[in-house]
């Protein structure tokens, strides 16, 4: 018993001596330099694979590990599709929104199925292999590396103890006893060295296999992109197949907004030649507003105007309701003209219109205005002609409605022509009042010269409006340049008066005070009309 205790004590002592020795001496390294580099790479690949797996799994919308049906029902796209289909059932096929919701709901359901297939494939071919790499394969290699380090430690300890025993057994007094002990320690050292060798070979094989399989690991990411590309391709096919149906329903829908839309766009969608708000308002005014004093000048009720514009946007106009309120109809027409993205008389021709208005000779001004007018795009020209013919007809009743060509030019001019950049107030008062009046007034006065022939206002037959005939019975046709001065003087009425005279006379009609005209009143009147037109 005493001998066993002494042996145990000696072993512990030798272990302490070994640890002290190895702390001071360099540890035995059994891996090659290449494998040491692989060991460092193992840890980096593990970190990257773990992080990528975690983030990729977070991108999946379905619940991992659940059965197919349950996973499909939990997809946000499936829930959205169900909501849309239910909404379509509530609204019905008579509603455009109902049609849209039904089409979109069916498409979202198809997209959800494609997403489910995509996520299942990604989970099987990318997410799970990354998990195995980061959490199983590399950790197993690292575990073997730790075990090898322990075996190397045991081998070094056994070798050290054997070497010490060999040294002590060389003393003459310890030859017999030391020899037996040295043999035992040598056997222990050889056994640990053998275990270490087996572990090292296995570890080396696994590390080399890891290096050789890096191309397989890289294929995970190639698979990710390929599967994503296929998913998006199929999703795009679904979306592209439903878009023509959606557009067809929208184009077939009768109720289309017109305010704020480009003229050519509105006409193309509605299949009309004259914009609906223009025709609807004009035909109504021909029936109920020709005698109304201050038409286009008197502001309507804001709520009534808003309601009328909204109904016109829906392609509806209640004749009975608005026949008693011509100012609301006139306001809706002004608003439509002003809310066009581009003025009816176009941005492109703005400078030409202004240049024509600056010409003092009326004959030449009219010729230039006609030339510019003929440059208008076909849609703009048709609608401008329609509107001018109506305005000319309105002036037939100027004794009652007080709307002379000059007055109409002031209140409607800024809604027919404006520039890209708005100037200051003074510029607005001079340019928009004087110059635009110089454009619009003579066009209205000589409407039948600018646009010969009669015109049917009620194109759709909705309101029973009259056919336009030559309405300029108060004005002669445009005078021939060959007229002598006396003939010109006989025709020097409102149709031939210079712009300055026309403007002055127009102001006189509205602002007479004790027989004197105040210049400040005139300026205020122009400013007031501009504000109302805006």
């Amino acid at each position: 018993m005493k001998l066993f205790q002494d042996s145990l004590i000696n072993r512990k002592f030798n272990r302490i001596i070994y640890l002290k020795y190895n702390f001071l001496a360099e540890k035995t390294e059994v891996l090659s330099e290449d494998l040491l580099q692989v060991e460092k790479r193992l840890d980096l690949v593990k970190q990257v694979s773990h992080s990528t797996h975690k983030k990729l799994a977070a991108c999946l919308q379905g619940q991992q590990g659940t059965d197919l049906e349950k996973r499909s029902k939990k997809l946000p796209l499936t829930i959205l599709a169900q909501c849309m289909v239910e909404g379509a059932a509530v609204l019905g096929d008579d509603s455009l929104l109902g049609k849209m919701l039904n089409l979109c709901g069916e498409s979202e359901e198809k997209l959800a199925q494609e997403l489910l297939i995509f996520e299942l494939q990604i989970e099987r071919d990318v997410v799970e292999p990354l998990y195995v790499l980061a959490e199983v394969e590399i950790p197993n290699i690292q575990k073997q590396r730790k075990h090898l380090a322990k075996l190397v430690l045991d081998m070094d300890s056994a070798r050290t103890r054997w070497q010490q025993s060999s040294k002590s057994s060389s003393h003459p007094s310890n030859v017999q006893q030391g020899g037996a002990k040295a043999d035992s320690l040598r056997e222990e050292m050889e056994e640990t060295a053998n275990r270490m060798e087996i572990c090292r070979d296995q570890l080396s094989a696994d590390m080399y296999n890891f290096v050789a399989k890096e191309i397989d690991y890289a294929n995970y990411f190639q698979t990710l992109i390929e599967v994503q590309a296929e998913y998006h391709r199929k999703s795009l096919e679904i979306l592209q197949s439903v878009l023509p149906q959606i557009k067809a329903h929208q184009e077939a829908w009768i109720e289309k907004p017109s305010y704020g839309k480009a003229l050519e766009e509105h006409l193309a969608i509605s299949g009309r030649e004259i914009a609906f708000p223009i025709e609807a308002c004009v035909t109504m005014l021909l029936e109920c507003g020709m005698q109304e004093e201050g038409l286009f000048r008197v502001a309507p009720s804001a709520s009534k105007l808003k309601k009328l514009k909204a109904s016109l946007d829906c392609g509806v106009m209640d004749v009975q309701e608005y026949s008693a309120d011509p100012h609301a109809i006139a306001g809706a027409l002004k608003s439509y003209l002003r809310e066009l993205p581009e003025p009816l008389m176009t941005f492109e021709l703005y400078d030409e219109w202004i240049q024509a208005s600056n010409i003092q000779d009326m004959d030449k001004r009219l010729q230039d205005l006609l030339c510019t007018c003929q440059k208008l795009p076909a849609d703009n020209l048709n609608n401008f002609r329609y509107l001018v013919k109506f305005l000319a007809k309105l002036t037939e009743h100027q004794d009652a409605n007080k709307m002379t060509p000059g007055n109409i030019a002031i209140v409607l001019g800024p809604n027919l022509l404006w520039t890209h950049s708005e100037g200051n107030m003074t510029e607005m008062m001079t340019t928009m009042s004087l110059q635009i009046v110089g454009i619009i007034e003579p066009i209205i006065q000589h409407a039948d010269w600018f646009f010969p022939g009669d015109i049917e206002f009620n194109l759709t037959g909705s309101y029973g409006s009259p056919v336009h005939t030559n309405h300029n019975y108060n004005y002669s046709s445009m005078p021939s340049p060959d007229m002598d001065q006396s003939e010109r003087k006989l025709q020097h009425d409102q149709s031939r008066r210079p712009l300055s005279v026309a403007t002055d006379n127009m102001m006189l009609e509205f602002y007479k005070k004790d027989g004197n005209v105040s210049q400040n009143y005139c300026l205020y009147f122009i400013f007031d009309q501009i504000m109302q037109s805006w």
Side-chain angles (χ1 to χ4, degrees):
M1 182 68 180
K2 188 175 183 303
L3 289 174
F4 175 75
Q5 290 177 345
D6 291 342
S7 175
L8 185 62
I9 291 172
N10 288 334
R11 286 192 176 188
K12 290 183 177 179
F13 178 75
N14 290 335
R15 179 74 173 175
I16 292 172
I17 295 298
Y18 167 75
L19 292 174
K20 182 178 180 181
Y21 170 79
N22 275 280
F23 179 75
L24 298 174
E26 185 177 355
K27 186 180 68 171
T28 301
E29 184 56 70
V30 295
L31 294 179
S32 65
E33 185 64 29
D34 289 341
L35 290 179
L36 290 175
Q37 294 298 321
V38 172
E39 182 183 9
K40 293 179 181 179
R41 188 169 182 79
L42 276 170
D43 193 53
L44 295 176
V45 172
K46 178 184 176 182
Q47 292 177 23
V48 172
S49 300
H50 176 79
S51 176
T52 304
H53 164 265
K54 184 178 179 181
K55 297 298 187 294
L56 184 55
C59 291
L60 302 180
Q61 299 181 36
Q63 295 181 348
Q64 291 178 262
T66 58
D67 63 87
L68 190 62
E69 183 178 356
K70 185 177 180 181
R71 184 166 181 167
S72 175
K73 290 180 179 179
K74 293 292 184 180
L75 279 178
L77 273 177
T78 304
I79 298 172
L80 173 62
Q82 183 178 358
C83 176
M84 287 181 165
V85 171
E86 290 174 354
V90 171
L91 295 176
D93 286 341
D94 293 338
S95 164
L96 181 60
L97 280 177
K99 294 177 184 292
M100 294 298 103
L101 283 171
N102 188 56
L103 283 172
C104 290
E106 292 175 354
S107 299
E108 296 299 335
E109 176 62 31
K110 293 177 182 177
L111 290 174
Q113 292 304 311
E114 289 298 332
L115 178 61
L116 181 61
I117 295 171
F118 161 73
E119 290 195 350
L120 288 173
Q121 190 172 355
I122 288 296
E123 188 176 336
R124 183 187 70 241
D125 296 340
V126 182
V127 175
E128 290 180 1
L130 280 177
Y131 175 83
V132 172
L133 175 63
E135 308 300 333
V136 179
E137 293 182 2
I138 294 179
N140 284 343
I141 296 175
Q142 292 175 328
K143 186 177 180 181
Q144 285 189 68
R145 180 68 177 96
K146 289 179 181 179
H147 183 59
L148 176 63
K150 181 178 180 302
L151 291 177
V152 170
L153 188 65
D154 291 343
M155 183 191 70
D156 288 346
S157 174
R159 184 174 60 238
T160 301
R161 283 186 279 112
W162 173 71
Q163 290 174 348
Q164 290 175 350
S165 177
S166 297
K167 289 180 181 179
S168 61
S169 64
S170 62
H171 195 274
S173 60
N174 297 327
V175 171
Q176 185 176 1
Q177 184 180 359
K181 184 178 180 181
D183 291 341
S184 175
L185 291 174
R186 185 178 68 252
E187 290 177 1
E188 180 183 349
M189 179 190 68
E190 290 174 351
E191 183 181 350
T192 56
N194 186 48
R195 290 200 302 269
M196 183 276 298
E197 187 75 19
I198 294 173
C199 182
R200 184 187 65 179
D201 291 344
Q202 182 62 47
L203 175 63
S204 298
D206 289 344
M207 294 178 87
Y208 283 127
N209 284 335
F210 167 77
V211 174
K213 290 172 63 177
E214 182 161 347
I215 188 171
D216 295 331
Y217 303 144
N219 281 335
Y220 299 159
F221 300 98
Q222 179 180 340
T223 301
L224 172 64
I225 299 302
E226 288 175 347
V227 174
Q228 280 183 317
E230 181 66 10
Y231 161 67
H232 287 296
R233 185 186 64 78
K234 291 183 177 179
S235 299
L236 182 60
E237 287 179 356
I238 293 172
L239 296 173
Q240 287 179 331
S241 66
V242 75
L243 273 177
Q245 301 177 57
I246 290 176
K247 291 179 180 178
H249 281 302
Q250 289 180 331
E251 291 173 359
W253 196 250
I254 298 174
E255 299 170 3
K256 298 180 178 69
S258 51
Y259 279 83
K261 302 294 183 181
L263 178 65
E264 60 273 16
E265 177 186 341
H266 166 61
L267 297 179
I269 291 175
S270 62
R272 304 174 60 92
E273 292 184 2
I274 304 300
F276 174 72
I278 294 179
E279 182 186 349
C281 291
V282 164
T283 50
M284 277 291 294
L285 289 174
L286 285 168
E287 292 292 332
C288 65
M290 304 304 282
Q291 302 290 330
E292 190 71 23
E293 184 173 346
L295 196 68
F296 291 109
R297 185 178 65 82
V298 177
S301 163
S303 59
K304 187 74 72 176
L305 176 60
K306 184 177 180 181
K307 178 183 176 183
L308 177 55
K309 288 171 61 178
S311 67
L312 288 172
D313 252 348
C314 294
V316 176
M317 186 168 183
D318 191 332
V319 177
Q320 186 174 0
E321 177 181 359
Y322 291 102
S323 59
D325 193 356
H327 293 296
I329 301 172
L333 177 55
K334 285 173 63 177
S335 293
Y336 173 76
L337 294 171
R338 184 60 201 179
E339 291 176 22
L340 286 171
E342 183 179 13
L344 190 61
M345 298 170 72
T346 73
F347 287 130
E348 185 178 355
L349 297 176
Y350 177 82
D351 291 337
E352 292 190 37
W353 289 117
I354 296 301
Q355 289 173 8
S357 71
N358 292 329
I359 299 173
Q360 295 301 316
D361 181 80
M362 183 57 72
D363 294 339
K364 191 174 186 312
R365 182 192 301 181
L366 290 171
Q367 292 288 353
D368 278 25
L369 289 174
L370 177 61
C371 181
T372 305
C373 189
Q374 291 172 344
K375 294 180 182 179
L376 286 170
D379 290 334
N380 296 66
L381 182 59
N382 287 338
N383 282 265
F384 185 57
R385 172 178 177 268
Y386 183 93
L387 189 62
V388 167
K389 287 284 197 176
F390 162 70
L391 295 176
K393 192 169 186 64
L394 181 64
T395 62
E396 294 179 9
H397 306 276
Q398 60 183 281
D399 291 340
N401 58 39
K402 308 301 182 188
M403 297 307 294
T404 63
N407 297 345
I408 294 174
I410 284 182
V411 295
L412 277 184
N415 301 286
L416 294 170
L417 182 64
W418 64 87
T419 183
H420 278 290
S421 56
E422 305 297 350
N424 56 37
M425 196 57 63
T426 303
E427 186 178 345
M428 289 169 58
M429 290 170 64
T430 56
T431 301
M432 285 194 171
S433 291
L434 300 179
Q435 290 180 304
I436 294 181
V437 166
I439 299 167
I440 305 301
E441 181 182 15
I443 292 178
I444 295 174
Q445 289 172 340
H446 302 285
D448 287 324
W449 181 77
F450 277 90
F451 306 110
D454 297 341
I455 183 172
E456 172 62 63
F457 288 112
N458 191 12
L459 296 173
T460 57
S462 302
Y463 307 103
S465 299
V467 176
H468 169 80
T469 56
N470 193 330
H471 52 270
N472 284 337
Y473 61 88
N474 289 329
Y475 313 121
S476 302
S477 300
M478 174 187 147
S480 169
D482 298 330
M483 280 186 179
D484 58 30
Q485 189 63 30
S486 60
E487 290 175 316
R488 289 175 182 273
K489 189 172 183 180
L490 289 174
Q491 293 194 345
H492 193 273
D493 52 12
Q494 287 186 345
S495 66
R496 295 295 297 118
R497 56 189 173 183
L499 175 61
S500 58
V501 177
T503 307
D504 289 343
N505 289 345
M506 174 273 297
M507 293 175 180
L508 282 170
E509 291 177 16
F510 284 90
Y511 293 96
K512 288 185 178 180
K513 185 178 181 181
D514 299 329
N516 296 321
V517 180
S518 167
Q519 182 180 5
N520 289 332
Y521 285 152
C522 296
L523 291 175
Y524 175 79
F525 174 74
I526 294 174
F527 175 77
D528 178 62
Q529 299 311 308
I530 293 173
M531 291 300 99
Q532 288 193 36
S533 69
W534 278 56

